[in-house]
Amino acid sequence: MSLNPVTSLVLGATRGSIAHPLPADEQLALLFHQTNLSPHLNHAEGLAHPPHATTEAYAECERIIRHHSKSFFFSSQFLAPDIRRAVRALYAFCRKTDDTVDLATSDPAHALAIWVQQARAPYPATDDPVLVAWHDTRTRYNLHPNLVDELLAGVAMDLSINRYATFADLWLYCYRVASVVGLLVMGITGHRPGAEPYAIKLGVALQMTNILRDVGEDARRGRVYLPHEDLERFGLSSDDILEGVYDERFKALMQFEVARTHRLYDESWPGIALLPANSRFAIGAASWVYRGILDKLAANGYDAHTRRAYLTMGEKMARLPRIWLATRRVGK
């Protein structure tokens, strides 16, 4: 995305800059300062939406996920119906939040600030079906607003940060935009004590998979998520990534990142046992199916510039027996 001069000045973002993440409250405060908007909407307490409107809103969330996230739609089918529709509302909310920035035609910061206002509102004062369903989900399951703010701050980071110095810096971004989603999912499904660290590692693994799969797409937007310290280790620069360099150095870098992400998947797996029995298979499927993207990336020779790594429906289905056995074993 291209930021206007005021945005770049206030948020400290220039093309090719390496910035350091802020705490979530400061990240969002900076967003509202830059846009001259209030952090909260001031409107009278609204009326609850009629039941049919909420039902239609959840149906729209399902359509969004079916279209935009086939791997998640596939794995979420194995959740109980009430949990499934709530989790899909959460993911539709995440998708709409991302699109607010990525698809903005003029001022992405202003668009995101308005969306954050609406997301924080005690009542959904909009006809947006995603917000209607999300409001019902977050109130029904009493999801913690601080976690939601962490998620929103993660998306705001894309407005001010387009390079990461270290993997520790990138970890925070992954935590906010993915691990927090896992923690919110556990707020819906329930979990036993001690599950959070595993959910955090799984979230980072899932987001790292996204990052590795989308290197070329992100470069075309001027973003390089791969840490500067890793690029230097393999003799590369951010400019090399932006220019689509695909050589032995790039392959070695991607192999290194894929191996690290596989380790995160391995380390997160014992946490499946801390989930309710009726949710383990769905979360396990999400983990294994998404992890399969790394295998496809390797099979493509780590070409993340011109080839998109993904699993076909047949390949996803073929993994189900092994996933079922693995989730049964980990639960014993």
Side-chain angles (χ1 to χ4, degrees), residues 236 239-247 249-251 305:
L236 292 163
D239 286 342
D240 291 326
I241 302 303
L242 294 177
E243 293 167 7
V245 168
Y246 175 62
D247 57 15
R249 295 173 302 163
F250 180 78
K251 293 177 185 178
H305 290 292

Side-chain angles (χ1 to χ4, degrees), residues 40-164:
H40 300 283
L41 286 176
N42 295 315
H43 61 76
E45 201 169 275
L47 297 175
H49 287 259
H52 73 272
T54 302
T55 300
E56 291 170 1
Y58 277 110
E60 177 60 20
C61 290
E62 180 171 324
R63 284 190 288 269
I64 290 171
I65 298 306
R66 183 191 291 269
H67 178 71
H68 290 288
S69 184
K70 292 179 175 57
S71 291
F72 171 70
F73 184 84
F74 174 78
S75 58
S76 64
Q77 291 184 88
F78 305 111
L79 292 167
D82 286 350
I83 293 176
R84 178 170 64 236
R85 77 170 195 160
V87 169
R88 285 178 174 173
L90 166 60
Y91 271 75
F93 172 72
C94 295
R95 177 74 196 196
K96 191 72 178 287
T97 304
D98 284 339
D99 286 348
T100 299
V101 172
D102 291 341
L103 303 183
T105 56
S106 57
D107 188 343
H110 189 266
L112 180 61
I114 291 176
W115 179 255
V116 173
Q117 285 181 329
Q118 294 171 337
R120 285 173 157 182
Y123 293 90
T126 174
D127 292 330
D128 189 314
V130 172
L131 286 176
V132 172
W134 169 240
H135 173 265
D136 186 71
T137 290
R138 68 182 173 87
T139 53
R140 184 184 300 269
Y141 292 94
N142 195 28
L143 298 178
H144 204 293
N146 287 352
L147 282 178
V148 181
D149 275 358
E150 287 281 354
L151 171 63
L152 296 169
V155 177
M157 287 169 67
D158 276 333
L159 293 169
S160 59
I161 302 174
N162 52 30
R163 305 288 188 276
Y164 288 88

Side-chain angles (χ1 to χ4, degrees), residues 21-27 147-155 157 161 170-181 204:
L22 297 170
D25 57 343
E26 293 181 26
Q27 193 83 48
L147 282 178
V148 181
D149 275 358
E150 287 281 354
L151 171 63
L152 296 169
V155 177
M157 287 169 67
I161 302 174
L170 182 60
W171 180 284
L172 177 60
Y173 174 75
C174 293
Y175 167 78
R176 284 178 169 167
V177 299
S179 298
V180 164
V181 178
V204 174

